[in-house]
Amino acid sequence: MRIRSSHLVWLKPVFMFLGFGLLAYFIWTFGWQNVVANLRKVGWGFGIILGISATWHLLNCLAWEQFLRERKTKLSLFQLFRIKLAGEAVNTSTPASWVGGDPLRIALMRRFTHTREGAASVILDRTIHSLTIVILMGAGVVLAGIFLKLPALVNELLLGLIIVMVMSMALSIRHQHKGVLTTAINLLDRIKIGRLISERKRRTLIETDETIQSFYQHDKWRLYLSICYQLMG
């Protein structure tokens, strides 16, 4: 189902202007001559760098797509790729990081699917992305402990950090199974500010929770496939 979002049309020119503005600022700060000189040094290797970056983003995009495969969306892989790049551009070029980039992804997806589907897919994608980071860091700590002669205190600190991160991820996923957004709404209701959330937004948040829970319950193999794509990326 395609969702009309005419009030979001202004986002495209605004972010395009901001993108060109940031590019111009970075070139002006670094110096045009320095940019040209470095490009000449890299040579054809610049194309290889772009190719590696594109492959990485494509694999991450395929991981994200797993959460939308069985949903009623009209998003092609190319459109999803463009939205992913827009979100990552905000993540890497502003202090807001994913706090700014992920809401942008949800907003851009509203042209193609219901808000609950877009929000659920972005939450799941961010969760799996964080999970794979923990997996890779854990593997790195194990390999460092085997092949590097690090002080015992450093190994213990690294191991402790990984344990904390694993516990945090487990807690996050458990809350998503139970309905993290619904829990947040109930908490706001208890402290008497839940009334600030309209019934329409409240319903959307609850439906987003239900979509996330449904994915965990019925699409486990797509979840594992998403993890594999993220690890390859």
Side-chain angles (χ1 to χ4, degrees):
M1 179 175 62
R2 184 185 177 91
I3 306 299
R4 298 184 180 275
S5 302
S6 56
H7 61 287
L8 293 176
V9 172
W10 58 270
L11 278 176
K12 185 174 181 179
V14 167
F15 279 100
M16 184 179 295
F17 175 79
L18 289 176
F20 281 116
L22 283 172
L23 178 62
Y25 173 75
F26 290 144
I27 292 175
W28 179 78
T29 301
F30 191 62
W32 174 254
Q33 292 180 342
N34 290 328
V35 173
V36 174
N38 280 281
L39 285 175
R40 285 176 177 171
K41 287 181 182 179
V42 175
W44 290 105
F46 185 69
I48 298 174
I49 295 172
L50 286 179
I52 293 173
S53 178
T55 302
W56 169 57
H57 282 298
L58 178 61
L59 288 168
N60 286 337
C61 193
L62 287 169
W64 182 20
E65 186 192 28
Q66 300 310 308
F67 306 120
L68 297 165
R69 280 287 181 90
E70 303 299 327
R71 311 298 172 187
K72 295 179 180 180
T73 67
K74 293 186 177 181
L75 268 167
S76 67
L77 182 60
F78 178 67
Q79 290 167 328
L80 204 64
F81 186 76
R82 291 172 59 191
I83 293 174
K84 179 73 171 177
L85 287 182
E88 292 302 324
V90 173
N91 290 347
T92 56
S93 61
T94 66
S97 187
W98 61 267
V99 177
D102 285 357
L104 174 62
R105 285 200 282 164
I106 296 171
L108 293 175
M109 289 180 70
R110 290 177 64 182
R111 292 180 54 207
F112 306 97
T113 187
H114 196 284
T115 301
R116 66 171 179 267
E117 306 290 349
S121 73
V122 170
I123 291 172
L124 287 164
D125 180 57
R126 181 57 57 189
T127 300
I128 298 305
H129 180 74
S130 300
L131 177 61
T132 53
I133 289 176
V134 173
I135 293 172
L136 291 173
M137 288 184 66
V141 168
V142 171
L143 292 174
I146 295 173
F147 297 105
L148 300 179
K149 295 181 179 180
L150 298 175
L153 179 60
V154 174
N155 284 327
E156 290 173 2
L157 288 174
L158 289 175
L159 181 60
L161 176 62
I162 295 300
I163 291 173
V164 170
M165 295 178 69
V166 169
M167 291 177 64
S168 297
M169 284 305 309
L171 187 62
S172 174
I173 293 173
R174 181 180 179 184
H175 278 303
Q176 288 181 15
H177 274 85
K178 293 185 175 181
V180 63
L181 298 177
T182 304
T183 301
I185 292 173
N186 293 335
L187 178 61
L188 293 176
D189 287 337
R190 289 180 185 176
I191 58 179
K192 309 300 182 183
I193 61 174
R195 61 180 180 274
L196 298 176
I197 304 175
S198 67
E199 285 300 320
R200 180 173 171 273
K201 290 182 178 179
R202 184 183 292 259
R203 184 169 60 253
T204 299
L205 290 172
I206 293 174
E207 289 174 349
T208 300
D209 258 346
E210 292 173 349
T211 302
I212 294 172
Q213 291 170 324
S214 175
F215 185 86
Y216 277 124
Q217 293 173 4
H218 305 295
D219 295 294
K220 286 185 173 60
W221 75 274
R222 289 199 181 278
L223 178 68
Y224 301 140
L225 186 58
S226 176
I227 293 173
C228 290
Y229 278 128
Q230 287 280 7
L231 288 172
M232 288 188 293

